[in-house]
Amino acid sequence: MAPFLALSRFLHLQQPLRVGLASLYSRSMSSLDTRARAVFSAAVEGVQPDIVVRRGLERHGDKLLVGGQSFTLTNNLYLVGFGKAVLGMAAEAERIVGDHLIKGVVSVPHGIQNTLRNHGKEKMLLENHSRITVMEGAKHNLPDTDALKSAECIRELASGLTENDVLLVLISGGGSALLPAPAPPMSLQEKQDVTRKLAAAGATIQELNTVRRALSLLKGGGLAQCANPAKVVALILSDVIGDPLDLIASGPTVRSDSRPEEVWAILDRYKLSDSLPSSVKEVLSKARPHGSQVQEQPQEVKDHVLNVVIGSNTIALECASRKAIELGLRPVILSPGVCGDVRSVARLYGLLSSFACSPGKEPPPELAAEILQLGPQVGIESWDLCRTMNVLVEERKEGWGATCLLAGGEPTVQLTGKGRGGRNQELALRVGLELSGGEVKSGAVFLSGGTDGQDGPTEAAGAVTDGELIEEAASQGLDIDGFLTNNDSFTFFSQLSEGRRLLMPGLTGTNVMDVHVMLLPQSPQKLPII
């Protein structure tokens, strides 16, 4: 009912529209381009590892404050971590807790220390006298023997703690591949074979995670159980839509609700039960009373665990919103959960641009109807779309100037070619077509960028585009359709205007999925002269 009422509200607005003297409609595209980039930079800066750790972890003397709870420090703190952004998180955490840290182990991607040095990110590296051991592994983002050794060191550290100790756990995207701990007697290869066959058979991410947790010593709350009776405090940098704690790095500090029969049901559904190696069957068939990895954790374990999300796409969008205000823009956060095919996502942004910038007293109702129909396909609730459209109508009415529409998430690309590109660059290219294809060009500018600084196997994080894209490409002899068919968006933007539309922040050291920025000039409507 609420979405309908909200929709009815903007469809029946009949008040005259005014254009503010500070209207940004006539300003140059270069100005909007610069501001879009500045807004994206603010989003990334707001979720840097050191910043999110300082925001979530405070020390006052011998008291450690996290998530509204206080922990007493008496040289009793241990640290473990796993994920692509964990090195920078660990460096800042060690600065905060100081000598109370006894020992730590972090599992990080292969080669990341040299990569950070080469990108001038020394502040994300540990000090020479650090008490934290850095172990690199998971080359090509796949579990390997190096990551297996790292996971074993983490398990040994956690298993040796007492009720007087505090274990600080740092988690970020990529943590699952960096914490492989197959339950014996199963080998890492056997576990990988099972999950690979499930994925090939069409299993959902939820089904994959259910099986993955059941076959692991540390996932699905296993790490927290190993650390019992110590207090466990997990600081989480989320790279998953909706920030579900059980899915981020497969939830090593979050109890698993999975039952053995659920796991078997998934394997039966994809006709894999009979072909399982004997070691896997043994793991799944073990008696559960004394601590199997799929057993529900005892109450005392749950009471000793605190999970806190300190960085997420939502936080990045909030930081971007504050920057937009500084730049004289009116921010509107659409959603941090954009997903689905980039073609549908691009169409939605094109429709929102037309809705915001269409001439006349108010947007055509059919635009609103199409936007609401498309929303579910890209993970956006009708309420969020109605709220956003209401704000856009109010802005037209009040003449507030340019709007900064913000969103985030992780759309997908259907691969049809072998070119170089990524979802952000392809989305920007497709939005450019949408902005260029209407009868009246809106003057909107769109940016899509990955917060980790890398979009697919390219040096760019994304790209910036606008309604001049088609003409600009045609004048330089570039066939947009051909580049799209070959999934070659990076090559396209590299050749277009000497690559000036590419977004090239370099390695950022963080990852909270993607950020979308669309700057919408005020509708080019004028008041009658009296």
Side-chain angles (χ1 to χ4, degrees):
M1 180 63 68
F4 174 77
L5 291 176
L7 177 60
S8 298
R9 180 184 171 209
F10 78 74
L11 289 180
H12 290 90
L13 284 173
Q14 297 293 334
Q15 300 180 33
L17 302 178
R18 301 188 302 276
V19 177
L21 296 177
S23 172
L24 299 174
Y25 184 77
S26 60
R27 294 190 183 183
S28 68
M29 287 302 103
S30 61
S31 172
L32 290 180
D33 178 293
T34 300
R35 280 182 284 179
R37 292 174 185 268
V39 169
F40 173 78
S41 295
V44 173
E45 181 65 24
V47 288
Q48 286 295 294
D50 57 334
I51 290 176
V52 297
V53 169
R54 283 199 301 273
R55 189 185 297 138
L57 190 68
E58 296 181 43
R59 177 187 164 192
H60 297 286
D62 64 350
K63 298 293 183 182
L64 191 67
L65 304 180
V66 187
Q69 297 191 31
S70 176
F71 300 86
T72 301
L73 298 177
T74 55
N75 299 104
N76 60 340
L77 185 70
Y78 295 81
L79 182 151
V80 297
F82 30 90
K84 295 179 180 180
V86 153
L87 196 54
M89 295 170 71
E92 188 61 29
E94 187 170 22
R95 294 185 194 107
I96 292 172
V97 301
D99 292 340
H100 286 288
L101 178 64
I102 303 301
K103 182 180 180 182
V105 179
V106 293
S107 177
V108 297
H110 176 80
I112 192 170
Q113 295 178 93
N114 285 335
T115 301
L116 288 171
R117 287 191 191 95
N118 294 338
H119 283 78
K121 301 285 185 179
E122 286 81 5
K123 71 175 182 178
M124 294 186 184
L125 299 173
L126 300 175
E127 303 289 344
N128 292 331
H129 57 275
S130 173
R131 298 181 181 182
I132 301 171
T133 300
V134 179
M135 304 183 71
E136 296 187 356
K139 198 171 185 179
H140 306 305
N141 201 33
L142 295 172
D144 56 19
T145 54
D146 288 333
L148 191 64
K149 293 175 185 176
S150 303
E152 179 59 26
C153 289
I154 288 172
R155 190 175 73 86
E156 288 180 1
L157 187 154
S159 299
L161 302 182
T162 71
E163 62 184 5
N164 298 318
D165 296 323
V166 177
L167 178 64
L168 184 61
V169 183
L170 307 177
I171 303 173
S172 74
S176 185
L178 289 159
L179 195 72
M186 180 178 47
S187 70
L188 176 61
Q189 185 62 51
E190 287 172 329
K191 180 185 174 186
Q192 287 179 290
D193 286 344
V194 172
T195 54
R196 190 179 297 115
K197 288 177 181 177
L198 272 174
T204 66
I205 184 63
Q206 290 82 7
E207 291 171 328
L208 284 168
N209 274 295
T210 296
V211 174
R212 191 179 285 128
R213 289 193 296 262
L215 300 178
S216 173
L217 288 175
L218 297 179
K219 295 179 173 68
L223 177 59
Q225 195 160 344
C226 282
N228 188 46
K231 299 177 183 67
V232 177
V233 179
L235 303 182
I236 302 166
L237 186 62
S238 172
D239 70 333
V240 182
I241 288 176
D243 309 328
L245 298 179
D246 61 327
L247 292 187
I248 303 168
S250 297
T253 57
V254 182
R255 71 179 180 88
S256 173
D257 292 325
S258 301
R259 304 288 182 179
E261 54 267 25
E262 293 179 49
V263 179
W264 281 111
I266 292 170
L267 295 169
D268 288 340
R269 188 174 305 133
Y270 296 101
K271 299 179 173 55
L272 294 177
S273 298
D274 294 338
S275 62
L276 292 175
S278 59
S279 61
V280 176
K281 292 181 179 179
E282 181 177 343
V283 169
L284 294 176
S285 301
K286 281 180 181 177
R288 311 283 174 196
H290 300 293
S292 169
Q293 60 279 358
V294 295
Q295 179 191 17
E296 183 174 327
Q297 290 179 3
Q299 185 63 40
E300 61 268 19
V301 176
K302 303 175 194 175
D303 292 342
H304 282 75
V305 178
L306 174 65
N307 290 295
V308 182
V309 175
I310 59 173
S312 65
N313 194 269
T314 295
I315 292 173
L317 295 181
E318 290 169 352
C319 295
S321 179
R322 289 193 288 271
K323 184 64 176 181
I325 293 173
E326 291 178 17
L327 296 172
L329 303 165
R330 182 82 177 193
V332 183
I333 296 178
L334 174 60
S335 170
V338 178
C339 58
D341 191 278
V342 291
R343 291 171 293 188
S344 298
V345 176
R347 178 60 181 159
L348 179 71
Y349 284 129
L351 291 170
L352 285 170
S353 173
S354 298
F355 182 89
C357 303
S358 60
K361 289 187 176 182
E362 57 186 45
E366 57 269 20
L367 274 178
E370 190 174 353
I371 287 170
L372 289 173
Q373 185 178 16
L374 191 56
Q377 298 179 34
V378 296
I380 303 179
E381 298 288 343
S382 296
W383 170 252
D384 285 325
L385 290 168
C386 288
R387 172 183 53 79
T388 299
M389 287 189 284
N390 274 329
V391 173
L392 294 176
V393 168
E394 290 290 341
E395 290 176 350
R396 290 165 63 97
K397 177 169 68 75
E398 298 295 334
W400 289 335
T403 301
C404 178
L405 185 66
L406 297 165
E410 200 168 74
T412 55
V413 173
Q414 182 178 349
L415 295 178
T416 57
K418 298 181 179 180
R420 294 185 68 199
R423 61 178 179 263
N424 286 285
Q425 293 165 86
E426 181 150 335
L427 177 59
L429 183 49
R430 291 187 180 277
V431 172
L433 290 179
E434 293 285 342
L435 298 178
S436 304
E439 294 181 6
V440 179
K441 292 179 183 176
S442 67
V445 168
F446 179 81
L447 176 152
S448 183
T451 54
D452 61 353
Q454 184 177 25
D455 186 36
T458 75
E459 296 79 42
V464 186
T465 190
D466 56 42
E468 304 298 325
L469 184 73
I470 290 180
E471 291 182 11
E472 187 177 334
S475 69
Q476 298 174 38
L478 299 176
D479 176 18
I480 294 178
D481 290 338
F483 284 102
L484 283 173
T485 300
N486 197 33
N487 297 119
D488 204 13
S489 53
F490 176 72
T491 303
F492 171 80
F493 281 115
S494 297
Q495 295 180 5
L496 182 71
S497 301
E498 300 178 341
R500 284 195 291 268
R501 290 181 178 268
L502 284 171
L503 187 62
M504 305 280 283
L507 181 72
T508 65
T510 191
N511 183 20
V512 293
M513 300 180 290
D514 305 334
V515 167
H516 306 155
V517 181
M518 186 157 67
L519 303 189
L520 299 163
Q522 188 175 343
S523 178
Q525 175 171 284
K526 299 184 181 298
L527 285 172
I529 299 176
I530 299 176

